[in-house]
Amino acid sequence: MCFYLNYFLIFIFMLLISIGFNAIVLSIIICLLVASVSLFLTNGRNIKTESSFISIFIVLLFMFFLIFFIGRNANIGGFSYESIETIAGYSYEINYNMSDLIIAIILMCTIGTIVDTSISISTAINEVYLNNKDIKFNELYKSGMNVGKDILSTTINTLFFVFLGGILGLFFWHYTDTLEYFINYKALCQELIELLFCFIGSILVIPITAFITSKRIHMNKNKVNL
């Protein structure tokens, strides 16, 4: 059910963009809805899911300003000449801001890793507390950070191989070009920027989730039952 709802949200996102809605505003709304579906529908509403959602919201706000600033200045929107054969049969008069679209796409790319990392940490902190209800806030926070370090290593590894799979086709397509020429491809730069923001989001969400979850658990000790 969660998968189908998220798929439906992405479909609505594309539909609204096609009729002219602002991609950046839509992406923030869709990201929050995806996070809500992934957290509350799967795990219910409790301290760990609420803490995770608050953390995701904070990270998304920070990521939005960072992505917006870099996306506007890096001029990474639109198709590069490497895609000229793919888009040759389509109209170029799409009348849409491609910089906004690529900013929205990067935001959408980060939400999956942020949600996964955040709920893993909040759940781990919750389990630590349930097994030792006398644990202090600092110890609980430290436990969350230790879990986050282990999660981060596997997350970065996964993101790297996703990125590698995305550029393999480009690499074999232009394997005769020089390295200097290859690393200046616009398509490669876009993939690198997406990967960078996924890394940043995954790193930021760890201390934020650990702090918020630990704090809320200590503030609502009698309500922690999951």
PDB file of all heavy atoms in Angstrom, residues 68-102:
ATOM      1  N   PHE A  68      18.611  25.177  -3.763  1.00  0.00           N
ATOM      2  CA  PHE A  68      18.141  26.325  -4.547  1.00  0.00           C
ATOM      3  C   PHE A  68      19.304  27.245  -4.893  1.00  0.00           C
ATOM      4  O   PHE A  68      19.446  27.682  -6.041  1.00  0.00           O
ATOM      5  CB  PHE A  68      17.081  27.095  -3.758  1.00  0.00           C
ATOM      6  CG  PHE A  68      16.462  28.231  -4.522  1.00  0.00           C
ATOM      7  CD1 PHE A  68      15.415  28.005  -5.394  1.00  0.00           C
ATOM      8  CD2 PHE A  68      16.941  29.534  -4.365  1.00  0.00           C
ATOM      9  CE1 PHE A  68      14.843  29.050  -6.100  1.00  0.00           C
ATOM     10  CE2 PHE A  68      16.374  30.577  -5.069  1.00  0.00           C
ATOM     11  CZ  PHE A  68      15.320  30.339  -5.941  1.00  0.00           C
ATOM     12  N   PHE A  69      20.155  27.516  -3.910  1.00  0.00           N
ATOM     13  CA  PHE A  69      21.289  28.413  -4.141  1.00  0.00           C
ATOM     14  C   PHE A  69      22.268  27.816  -5.153  1.00  0.00           C
ATOM     15  O   PHE A  69      22.672  28.481  -6.115  1.00  0.00           O
ATOM     16  CB  PHE A  69      22.017  28.679  -2.821  1.00  0.00           C
ATOM     17  CG  PHE A  69      23.277  29.487  -2.973  1.00  0.00           C
ATOM     18  CD1 PHE A  69      23.221  30.858  -3.174  1.00  0.00           C
ATOM     19  CD2 PHE A  69      24.521  28.870  -2.928  1.00  0.00           C
ATOM     20  CE1 PHE A  69      24.388  31.602  -3.331  1.00  0.00           C
ATOM     21  CE2 PHE A  69      25.682  29.604  -3.082  1.00  0.00           C
ATOM     22  CZ  PHE A  69      25.613  30.974  -3.295  1.00  0.00           C
ATOM     23  N   ILE A  70      22.630  26.551  -4.955  1.00  0.00           N
ATOM     24  CA  ILE A  70      23.600  25.925  -5.854  1.00  0.00           C
ATOM     25  C   ILE A  70      22.983  25.663  -7.226  1.00  0.00           C
ATOM     26  O   ILE A  70      23.628  25.857  -8.262  1.00  0.00           O
ATOM     27  CB  ILE A  70      24.137  24.617  -5.232  1.00  0.00           C
ATOM     28  CG1 ILE A  70      24.946  24.943  -3.981  1.00  0.00           C
ATOM     29  CG2 ILE A  70      24.981  23.836  -6.237  1.00  0.00           C
ATOM     30  CD1 ILE A  70      25.526  23.739  -3.290  1.00  0.00           C
ATOM     31  N   GLY A  71      21.705  25.226  -7.231  1.00  0.00           N
ATOM     32  CA  GLY A  71      21.055  24.939  -8.507  1.00  0.00           C
ATOM     33  C   GLY A  71      20.944  26.156  -9.393  1.00  0.00           C
ATOM     34  O   GLY A  71      21.125  26.083 -10.611  1.00  0.00           O
ATOM     35  N   ARG A  72      20.659  27.301  -8.788  1.00  0.00           N
ATOM     36  CA  ARG A  72      20.543  28.538  -9.560  1.00  0.00           C
ATOM     37  C   ARG A  72      21.888  28.993 -10.107  1.00  0.00           C
ATOM     38  O   ARG A  72      21.989  29.494 -11.228  1.00  0.00           O
ATOM     39  CB  ARG A  72      19.972  29.648  -8.685  1.00  0.00           C
ATOM     40  CG  ARG A  72      18.503  29.498  -8.329  1.00  0.00           C
ATOM     41  CD  ARG A  72      17.617  29.591  -9.519  1.00  0.00           C
ATOM     42  NE  ARG A  72      16.219  29.771  -9.130  1.00  0.00           N
ATOM     43  CZ  ARG A  72      15.199  29.660  -9.947  1.00  0.00           C
ATOM     44  NH1 ARG A  72      15.411  29.346 -11.210  1.00  0.00           N
ATOM     45  NH2 ARG A  72      13.971  29.847  -9.533  1.00  0.00           N
ATOM     46  N   ASN A  73      22.929  28.820  -9.305  1.00  0.00           N
ATOM     47  CA  ASN A  73      24.251  29.314  -9.702  1.00  0.00           C
ATOM     48  C   ASN A  73      25.035  28.321 -10.555  1.00  0.00           C
ATOM     49  O   ASN A  73      25.925  28.721 -11.304  1.00  0.00           O
ATOM     50  CB  ASN A  73      25.063  29.675  -8.457  1.00  0.00           C
ATOM     51  CG  ASN A  73      24.542  30.910  -7.751  1.00  0.00           C
ATOM     52  OD1 ASN A  73      24.829  32.026  -8.152  1.00  0.00           O
ATOM     53  ND2 ASN A  73      23.752  30.726  -6.700  1.00  0.00           N
ATOM     54  N   ALA A  74      24.722  27.040 -10.435  1.00  0.00           N
ATOM     55  CA  ALA A  74      25.458  26.035 -11.210  1.00  0.00           C
ATOM     56  C   ALA A  74      24.923  25.876 -12.624  1.00  0.00           C
ATOM     57  O   ALA A  74      25.575  25.282 -13.471  1.00  0.00           O
ATOM     58  CB  ALA A  74      25.405  24.688 -10.486  1.00  0.00           C
ATOM     59  N   ASN A  75      23.709  26.403 -12.870  1.00  0.00           N
ATOM     60  CA  ASN A  75      23.105  26.330 -14.201  1.00  0.00           C
ATOM     61  C   ASN A  75      23.069  24.888 -14.722  1.00  0.00           C
ATOM     62  O   ASN A  75      23.537  24.583 -15.815  1.00  0.00           O
ATOM     63  CB  ASN A  75      23.878  27.222 -15.187  1.00  0.00           C
ATOM     64  CG  ASN A  75      23.133  27.403 -16.497  1.00  0.00           C
ATOM     65  OD1 ASN A  75      21.911  27.331 -16.536  1.00  0.00           O
ATOM     66  ND2 ASN A  75      23.879  27.628 -17.574  1.00  0.00           N
ATOM     67  N   ILE A  76      22.491  24.000 -13.917  1.00  0.00           N
ATOM     68  CA  ILE A  76      22.471  22.585 -14.282  1.00  0.00           C
ATOM     69  C   ILE A  76      21.139  22.131 -14.866  1.00  0.00           C
ATOM     70  O   ILE A  76      20.944  20.968 -15.147  1.00  0.00           O
ATOM     71  CB  ILE A  76      22.799  21.699 -13.066  1.00  0.00           C
ATOM     72  CG1 ILE A  76      21.787  21.959 -11.939  1.00  0.00           C
ATOM     73  CG2 ILE A  76      24.224  21.919 -12.596  1.00  0.00           C
ATOM     74  CD1 ILE A  76      21.941  21.019 -10.766  1.00  0.00           C
ATOM     75  N   GLY A  77      20.210  23.047 -15.041  1.00  0.00           N
ATOM     76  CA  GLY A  77      18.900  22.669 -15.544  1.00  0.00           C
ATOM     77  C   GLY A  77      18.920  22.348 -17.025  1.00  0.00           C
ATOM     78  O   GLY A  77      19.751  22.839 -17.791  1.00  0.00           O
ATOM     79  N   GLY A  78      17.964  21.526 -17.449  1.00  0.00           N
ATOM     80  CA  GLY A  78      17.814  21.212 -18.861  1.00  0.00           C
ATOM     81  C   GLY A  78      18.634  20.036 -19.320  1.00  0.00           C
ATOM     82  O   GLY A  78      19.358  19.407 -18.550  1.00  0.00           O
ATOM     83  N   PHE A  79      18.517  19.716 -20.615  1.00  0.00           N
ATOM     84  CA  PHE A  79      19.243  18.609 -21.204  1.00  0.00           C
ATOM     85  C   PHE A  79      20.575  19.091 -21.765  1.00  0.00           C
ATOM     86  O   PHE A  79      20.684  20.202 -22.281  1.00  0.00           O
ATOM     87  CB  PHE A  79      18.428  17.963 -22.332  1.00  0.00           C
ATOM     88  CG  PHE A  79      17.177  17.278 -21.854  1.00  0.00           C
ATOM     89  CD1 PHE A  79      15.952  17.929 -21.898  1.00  0.00           C
ATOM     90  CD2 PHE A  79      17.230  15.995 -21.351  1.00  0.00           C
ATOM     91  CE1 PHE A  79      14.805  17.300 -21.453  1.00  0.00           C
ATOM     92  CE2 PHE A  79      16.095  15.356 -20.893  1.00  0.00           C
ATOM     93  CZ  PHE A  79      14.873  16.011 -20.955  1.00  0.00           C
ATOM     94  N   SER A  80      21.563  18.235 -21.678  1.00  0.00           N
ATOM     95  CA  SER A  80      22.875  18.552 -22.239  1.00  0.00           C
ATOM     96  C   SER A  80      22.959  17.990 -23.655  1.00  0.00           C
ATOM     97  O   SER A  80      22.093  17.231 -24.104  1.00  0.00           O
ATOM     98  CB  SER A  80      23.965  17.936 -21.373  1.00  0.00           C
ATOM     99  OG  SER A  80      23.776  16.537 -21.264  1.00  0.00           O
ATOM    100  N   TYR A  81      24.022  18.333 -24.342  1.00  0.00           N
ATOM    101  CA  TYR A  81      24.150  17.884 -25.723  1.00  0.00           C
ATOM    102  C   TYR A  81      24.344  16.375 -25.828  1.00  0.00           C
ATOM    103  O   TYR A  81      24.124  15.776 -26.870  1.00  0.00           O
ATOM    104  CB  TYR A  81      25.307  18.613 -26.407  1.00  0.00           C
ATOM    105  CG  TYR A  81      26.677  18.110 -26.017  1.00  0.00           C
ATOM    106  CD1 TYR A  81      27.301  17.092 -26.729  1.00  0.00           C
ATOM    107  CD2 TYR A  81      27.346  18.665 -24.924  1.00  0.00           C
ATOM    108  CE1 TYR A  81      28.557  16.638 -26.359  1.00  0.00           C
ATOM    109  CE2 TYR A  81      28.584  18.212 -24.557  1.00  0.00           C
ATOM    110  CZ  TYR A  81      29.194  17.203 -25.278  1.00  0.00           C
ATOM    111  OH  TYR A  81      30.428  16.748 -24.896  1.00  0.00           O
ATOM    112  N   GLU A  82      24.739  15.738 -24.699  1.00  0.00           N
ATOM    113  CA  GLU A  82      24.866  14.278 -24.719  1.00  0.00           C
ATOM    114  C   GLU A  82      23.527  13.605 -24.974  1.00  0.00           C
ATOM    115  O   GLU A  82      23.471  12.453 -25.418  1.00  0.00           O
ATOM    116  CB  GLU A  82      25.441  13.772 -23.385  1.00  0.00           C
ATOM    117  CG  GLU A  82      26.853  14.259 -23.086  1.00  0.00           C
ATOM    118  CD  GLU A  82      26.837  15.511 -22.232  1.00  0.00           C
ATOM    119  OE1 GLU A  82      25.749  16.027 -21.929  1.00  0.00           O
ATOM    120  OE2 GLU A  82      27.929  15.985 -21.868  1.00  0.00           O
ATOM    121  N   SER A  83      22.433  14.319 -24.698  1.00  0.00           N
ATOM    122  CA  SER A  83      21.093  13.746 -24.852  1.00  0.00           C
ATOM    123  C   SER A  83      20.424  14.180 -26.150  1.00  0.00           C
ATOM    124  O   SER A  83      19.230  13.948 -26.331  1.00  0.00           O
ATOM    125  CB  SER A  83      20.210  14.168 -23.664  1.00  0.00           C
ATOM    126  OG  SER A  83      20.801  13.837 -22.440  1.00  0.00           O
ATOM    127  N   ILE A  84      21.182  14.808 -27.037  1.00  0.00           N
ATOM    128  CA  ILE A  84      20.588  15.382 -28.236  1.00  0.00           C
ATOM    129  C   ILE A  84      19.903  14.329 -29.098  1.00  0.00           C
ATOM    130  O   ILE A  84      18.848  14.571 -29.701  1.00  0.00           O
ATOM    131  CB  ILE A  84      21.652  16.164 -29.051  1.00  0.00           C
ATOM    132  CG1 ILE A  84      20.985  17.009 -30.138  1.00  0.00           C
ATOM    133  CG2 ILE A  84      22.681  15.209 -29.636  1.00  0.00           C
ATOM    134  CD1 ILE A  84      20.118  18.111 -29.613  1.00  0.00           C
ATOM    135  N   GLU A  85      20.477  13.114 -29.181  1.00  0.00           N
ATOM    136  CA  GLU A  85      19.864  12.071 -29.994  1.00  0.00           C
ATOM    137  C   GLU A  85      18.571  11.566 -29.360  1.00  0.00           C
ATOM    138  O   GLU A  85      17.625  11.198 -30.059  1.00  0.00           O
ATOM    139  CB  GLU A  85      20.843  10.905 -30.171  1.00  0.00           C
ATOM    140  CG  GLU A  85      22.074  11.269 -30.992  1.00  0.00           C
ATOM    141  CD  GLU A  85      22.999  10.074 -31.175  1.00  0.00           C
ATOM    142  OE1 GLU A  85      22.649   8.970 -30.695  1.00  0.00           O
ATOM    143  OE2 GLU A  85      24.071  10.244 -31.782  1.00  0.00           O
ATOM    144  N   THR A  86      18.520  11.566 -28.029  1.00  0.00           N
ATOM    145  CA  THR A  86      17.337  11.082 -27.332  1.00  0.00           C
ATOM    146  C   THR A  86      16.156  12.029 -27.500  1.00  0.00           C
ATOM    147  O   THR A  86      15.012  11.603 -27.674  1.00  0.00           O
ATOM    148  CB  THR A  86      17.635  10.910 -25.832  1.00  0.00           C
ATOM    149  OG1 THR A  86      18.770  10.052 -25.678  1.00  0.00           O
ATOM    150  CG2 THR A  86      16.444  10.308 -25.107  1.00  0.00           C
ATOM    151  N   ILE A  87      16.427  13.338 -27.443  1.00  0.00           N
ATOM    152  CA  ILE A  87      15.346  14.328 -27.466  1.00  0.00           C
ATOM    153  C   ILE A  87      15.131  14.932 -28.850  1.00  0.00           C
ATOM    154  O   ILE A  87      14.342  15.862 -29.005  1.00  0.00           O
ATOM    155  CB  ILE A  87      15.630  15.458 -26.459  1.00  0.00           C
ATOM    156  CG1 ILE A  87      16.897  16.224 -26.848  1.00  0.00           C
ATOM    157  CG2 ILE A  87      15.750  14.909 -25.050  1.00  0.00           C
ATOM    158  CD1 ILE A  87      17.161  17.440 -25.969  1.00  0.00           C
ATOM    159  N   ALA A  88      15.817  14.381 -29.872  1.00  0.00           N
ATOM    160  CA  ALA A  88      15.740  14.970 -31.208  1.00  0.00           C
ATOM    161  C   ALA A  88      14.316  14.987 -31.753  1.00  0.00           C
ATOM    162  O   ALA A  88      13.933  15.898 -32.498  1.00  0.00           O
ATOM    163  CB  ALA A  88      16.654  14.199 -32.164  1.00  0.00           C
ATOM    164  N   GLY A  89      13.516  13.998 -31.385  1.00  0.00           N
ATOM    165  CA  GLY A  89      12.157  13.912 -31.920  1.00  0.00           C
ATOM    166  C   GLY A  89      11.123  14.680 -31.137  1.00  0.00           C
ATOM    167  O   GLY A  89       9.933  14.622 -31.475  1.00  0.00           O
ATOM    168  N   TYR A  90      11.552  15.392 -30.099  1.00  0.00           N
ATOM    169  CA  TYR A  90      10.604  16.117 -29.248  1.00  0.00           C
ATOM    170  C   TYR A  90      10.697  17.617 -29.484  1.00  0.00           C
ATOM    171  O   TYR A  90      11.711  18.136 -29.955  1.00  0.00           O
ATOM    172  CB  TYR A  90      10.876  15.821 -27.772  1.00  0.00           C
ATOM    173  CG  TYR A  90      10.685  14.381 -27.397  1.00  0.00           C
ATOM    174  CD1 TYR A  90      11.764  13.501 -27.380  1.00  0.00           C
ATOM    175  CD2 TYR A  90       9.429  13.888 -27.067  1.00  0.00           C
ATOM    176  CE1 TYR A  90      11.602  12.174 -27.047  1.00  0.00           C
ATOM    177  CE2 TYR A  90       9.250  12.562 -26.729  1.00  0.00           C
ATOM    178  CZ  TYR A  90      10.340  11.702 -26.710  1.00  0.00           C
ATOM    179  OH  TYR A  90      10.170  10.387 -26.388  1.00  0.00           O
ATOM    180  N   SER A  91       9.625  18.307 -29.104  1.00  0.00           N
ATOM    181  CA  SER A  91       9.593  19.766 -29.258  1.00  0.00           C
ATOM    182  C   SER A  91      10.469  20.418 -28.191  1.00  0.00           C
ATOM    183  O   SER A  91      10.463  20.013 -27.028  1.00  0.00           O
ATOM    184  CB  SER A  91       8.155  20.272 -29.126  1.00  0.00           C
ATOM    185  OG  SER A  91       8.131  21.689 -29.095  1.00  0.00           O
ATOM    186  N   TYR A  92      11.195  21.446 -28.575  1.00  0.00           N
ATOM    187  CA  TYR A  92      12.036  22.187 -27.640  1.00  0.00           C
ATOM    188  C   TYR A  92      11.252  23.310 -26.953  1.00  0.00           C
ATOM    189  O   TYR A  92      11.732  23.920 -26.001  1.00  0.00           O
ATOM    190  CB  TYR A  92      13.240  22.783 -28.362  1.00  0.00           C
ATOM    191  CG  TYR A  92      14.233  21.766 -28.907  1.00  0.00           C
ATOM    192  CD1 TYR A  92      15.199  22.146 -29.820  1.00  0.00           C
ATOM    193  CD2 TYR A  92      14.179  20.442 -28.494  1.00  0.00           C
ATOM    194  CE1 TYR A  92      16.109  21.217 -30.319  1.00  0.00           C
ATOM    195  CE2 TYR A  92      15.083  19.510 -28.989  1.00  0.00           C
ATOM    196  CZ  TYR A  92      16.035  19.899 -29.903  1.00  0.00           C
ATOM    197  OH  TYR A  92      16.926  18.978 -30.389  1.00  0.00           O
ATOM    198  N   GLU A  93      10.061  23.594 -27.439  1.00  0.00           N
ATOM    199  CA  GLU A  93       9.251  24.686 -26.897  1.00  0.00           C
ATOM    200  C   GLU A  93       8.354  24.166 -25.767  1.00  0.00           C
ATOM    201  O   GLU A  93       7.125  24.115 -25.896  1.00  0.00           O
ATOM    202  CB  GLU A  93       8.395  25.308 -28.012  1.00  0.00           C
ATOM    203  CG  GLU A  93       9.186  25.843 -29.189  1.00  0.00           C
ATOM    204  CD  GLU A  93      10.114  26.979 -28.787  1.00  0.00           C
ATOM    205  OE1 GLU A  93       9.763  27.729 -27.857  1.00  0.00           O
ATOM    206  OE2 GLU A  93      11.181  27.112 -29.400  1.00  0.00           O
ATOM    207  N   ILE A  94       8.961  23.778 -24.655  1.00  0.00           N
ATOM    208  CA  ILE A  94       8.174  23.215 -23.556  1.00  0.00           C
ATOM    209  C   ILE A  94       7.684  24.294 -22.603  1.00  0.00           C
ATOM    210  O   ILE A  94       6.816  24.050 -21.768  1.00  0.00           O
ATOM    211  CB  ILE A  94       8.989  22.166 -22.778  1.00  0.00           C
ATOM    212  CG1 ILE A  94      10.256  22.792 -22.197  1.00  0.00           C
ATOM    213  CG2 ILE A  94       9.311  20.990 -23.660  1.00  0.00           C
ATOM    214  CD1 ILE A  94      11.047  21.848 -21.317  1.00  0.00           C
ATOM    215  N   ASN A  95       8.247  25.495 -22.689  1.00  0.00           N
ATOM    216  CA  ASN A  95       7.793  26.648 -21.890  1.00  0.00           C
ATOM    217  C   ASN A  95       7.780  26.329 -20.395  1.00  0.00           C
ATOM    218  O   ASN A  95       6.770  26.543 -19.708  1.00  0.00           O
ATOM    219  CB  ASN A  95       6.398  27.093 -22.363  1.00  0.00           C
ATOM    220  CG  ASN A  95       6.021  28.457 -21.807  1.00  0.00           C
ATOM    221  OD1 ASN A  95       6.892  29.287 -21.547  1.00  0.00           O
ATOM    222  ND2 ASN A  95       4.731  28.687 -21.609  1.00  0.00           N
ATOM    223  N   TYR A  96       8.912  25.818 -19.903  1.00  0.00           N
ATOM    224  CA  TYR A  96       9.011  25.510 -18.466  1.00  0.00           C
ATOM    225  C   TYR A  96      10.437  25.773 -18.003  1.00  0.00           C
ATOM    226  O   TYR A  96      11.396  25.558 -18.754  1.00  0.00           O
ATOM    227  CB  TYR A  96       8.635  24.049 -18.192  1.00  0.00           C
ATOM    228  CG  TYR A  96       8.244  23.806 -16.753  1.00  0.00           C
ATOM    229  CD1 TYR A  96       6.937  24.002 -16.338  1.00  0.00           C
ATOM    230  CD2 TYR A  96       9.181  23.431 -15.802  1.00  0.00           C
ATOM    231  CE1 TYR A  96       6.560  23.814 -15.019  1.00  0.00           C
ATOM    232  CE2 TYR A  96       8.826  23.234 -14.486  1.00  0.00           C
ATOM    233  CZ  TYR A  96       7.516  23.428 -14.097  1.00  0.00           C
ATOM    234  OH  TYR A  96       7.162  23.254 -12.781  1.00  0.00           O
ATOM    235  N   ASN A  97      10.553  26.233 -16.764  1.00  0.00           N
ATOM    236  CA  ASN A  97      11.862  26.553 -16.194  1.00  0.00           C
ATOM    237  C   ASN A  97      12.570  25.256 -15.791  1.00  0.00           C
ATOM    238  O   ASN A  97      12.224  24.634 -14.787  1.00  0.00           O
ATOM    239  CB  ASN A  97      11.692  27.459 -14.977  1.00  0.00           C
ATOM    240  CG  ASN A  97      13.019  28.016 -14.496  1.00  0.00           C
ATOM    241  OD1 ASN A  97      14.047  27.338 -14.496  1.00  0.00           O
ATOM    242  ND2 ASN A  97      13.001  29.271 -14.073  1.00  0.00           N
ATOM    243  N   MET A  98      13.572  24.861 -16.552  1.00  0.00           N
ATOM    244  CA  MET A  98      14.257  23.600 -16.296  1.00  0.00           C
ATOM    245  C   MET A  98      15.149  23.659 -15.053  1.00  0.00           C
ATOM    246  O   MET A  98      15.433  22.637 -14.441  1.00  0.00           O
ATOM    247  CB  MET A  98      15.096  23.194 -17.515  1.00  0.00           C
ATOM    248  CG  MET A  98      14.276  22.905 -18.756  1.00  0.00           C
ATOM    249  SD  MET A  98      13.040  21.605 -18.505  1.00  0.00           S
ATOM    250  CE  MET A  98      14.075  20.160 -18.307  1.00  0.00           C
ATOM    251  N   SER A  99      15.568  24.859 -14.675  1.00  0.00           N
ATOM    252  CA  SER A  99      16.343  24.988 -13.433  1.00  0.00           C
ATOM    253  C   SER A  99      15.481  24.637 -12.228  1.00  0.00           C
ATOM    254  O   SER A  99      15.930  23.951 -11.304  1.00  0.00           O
ATOM    255  CB  SER A  99      16.881  26.414 -13.296  1.00  0.00           C
ATOM    256  OG  SER A  99      17.830  26.692 -14.293  1.00  0.00           O
ATOM    257  N   ASP A 100      14.227  25.103 -12.231  1.00  0.00           N
ATOM    258  CA  ASP A 100      13.300  24.741 -11.159  1.00  0.00           C
ATOM    259  C   ASP A 100      13.053  23.242 -11.134  1.00  0.00           C
ATOM    260  O   ASP A 100      12.968  22.627 -10.065  1.00  0.00           O
ATOM    261  CB  ASP A 100      11.962  25.467 -11.332  1.00  0.00           C
ATOM    262  CG  ASP A 100      12.058  26.943 -10.995  1.00  0.00           C
ATOM    263  OD1 ASP A 100      13.127  27.375 -10.512  1.00  0.00           O
ATOM    264  OD2 ASP A 100      11.073  27.675 -11.219  1.00  0.00           O
ATOM    265  N   LEU A 101      12.944  22.658 -12.311  1.00  0.00           N
ATOM    266  CA  LEU A 101      12.660  21.227 -12.395  1.00  0.00           C
ATOM    267  C   LEU A 101      13.811  20.390 -11.844  1.00  0.00           C
ATOM    268  O   LEU A 101      13.585  19.418 -11.111  1.00  0.00           O
ATOM    269  CB  LEU A 101      12.376  20.835 -13.843  1.00  0.00           C
ATOM    270  CG  LEU A 101      11.948  19.386 -14.080  1.00  0.00           C
ATOM    271  CD1 LEU A 101      10.678  19.073 -13.290  1.00  0.00           C
ATOM    272  CD2 LEU A 101      11.729  19.120 -15.561  1.00  0.00           C
ATOM    273  N   ILE A 102      15.038  20.755 -12.162  1.00  0.00           N
ATOM    274  CA  ILE A 102      16.168  19.969 -11.676  1.00  0.00           C
ATOM    275  C   ILE A 102      16.335  20.136 -10.172  1.00  0.00           C
ATOM    276  O   ILE A 102      16.717  19.191  -9.457  1.00  0.00           O
ATOM    277  CB  ILE A 102      17.482  20.344 -12.419  1.00  0.00           C
ATOM    278  CG1 ILE A 102      18.568  19.280 -12.173  1.00  0.00           C
ATOM    279  CG2 ILE A 102      17.987  21.699 -12.000  1.00  0.00           C
ATOM    280  CD1 ILE A 102      18.245  17.940 -12.742  1.00  0.00           C
TER     281      ILE A 102
END
